[in-house]
Amino acid sequence: MGGWRDMSAQALEDQYSPSRWSPRLDRDTIIDAHLAVTAAGTERARASAQTSLHVPYGKGDGEKLDIYLPTDHSGSHMDTMVLQVRRSLAFLVEQYPGIRGIYLCGHSAGAHLAAMVLLTDWTEFHVVPDIRVALPSGAVLVSGVYDLEPILHTYVNDALNMSREVAQRNSPMRHVAPAVPAACEVLVVVAQHDSPEFRRQSQEYGQALRAAGWSVSLLDLAGVDHFDVIEKLSEDSYILTQVILNMISRA
């Protein structure tokens, strides 16, 4: 058949280990560097915005939101995580009924969760038929994984412990539905120095959404890897920053 099924176990491990693909830093230091950059960015964001941190939206220990407000005031662990993200959006709509829209931006595993949000039947969460606020209004999926089956054969699944059934149920690629009139705009982003498997998944998922009638843009960013593709969002001149701001301004 070709593709990931023909790879050796070690080759597949490498494909889903982003730290092995960056030309900037070696794999033993790039994750620590990435954590340091993102932690510093979080501190800057919290210092420059009004925040409500660790807001519970459910009873589980992990069911908490960090909410950043504009200063001008204008069956499995995987199943559980997907449900938590969906519930958190329903909570936001209920808690802040005056907002104009909700925009998701997810990176890596976060991009997968954001893509799963696009599959949500919101009638189960009692937020429709009042659909004045689309859920979400826009989605930015950065260097994500949209078919989880290959991960079953890698170290990534050691923590997730997914069965094939769970992986298939939580694979956005396998559940692309025709776009509805209220469907949001989707931006699928991939880095030049993502692994070939990450790049393939982003390209194929974006194409599948487009074929189903979704409004999709594919953005292949040169000169960045799996980590600084998201780190650079703190830079006003970064193309992805500009594209996201433009998406929001059109609302």
Side-chain angles (χ1 to χ4, degrees), residues 131 134-137 177-185 212-215:
I131 197 67
L135 291 176
S137 306
V180 298
C184 70
E185 179 180 359
W214 291 74
S215 175

Side-chain angles (χ1 to χ4, degrees), residues 73-198:
H73 300 286
S74 325
S76 68
H77 186 50
M78 180 59 67
D79 289 322
T80 300
M81 288 191 292
V82 171
L83 178 61
Q84 288 174 337
V85 173
R86 289 168 169 167
R87 288 174 57 189
S88 71
L89 261 71
F91 168 83
L92 285 175
V93 172
E94 181 179 5
Q95 189 75 8
Y96 301 98
I99 59 178
R100 292 192 303 163
I102 294 177
Y103 294 84
L104 299 182
C105 181
H107 169 245
S108 197
H112 162 263
L113 291 173
M116 289 299 294
V117 169
L118 301 181
L119 306 174
T120 305
D121 178 2
W122 292 108
T123 59
E124 299 178 10
F125 295 85
H126 310 294
V127 294
V128 290
D130 184 9
I131 197 67
R132 290 173 298 175
V133 179
L135 291 176
S137 306
V140 181
L141 313 178
V142 184
S143 295
V145 176
Y146 310 104
D147 180 3
L148 300 185
E149 187 171 353
I151 288 177
L152 295 175
H153 309 281
T154 73
Y155 74 94
V156 178
N157 199 40
D158 292 346
L160 296 173
N161 195 28
M162 291 185 295
S163 65
R164 178 166 279 100
E165 178 185 5
V166 169
Q168 291 177 350
R169 181 167 64 243
N170 289 285
S171 289
M173 177 69 80
R174 296 173 179 267
H175 303 284
V176 175
V180 298
C184 70
E185 179 180 359
V186 181
L187 176 62
V188 180
V189 183
V190 68
Q192 176 184 356
H193 298 297
D194 267 318
S195 77
E197 271 290 283
F198 271 82

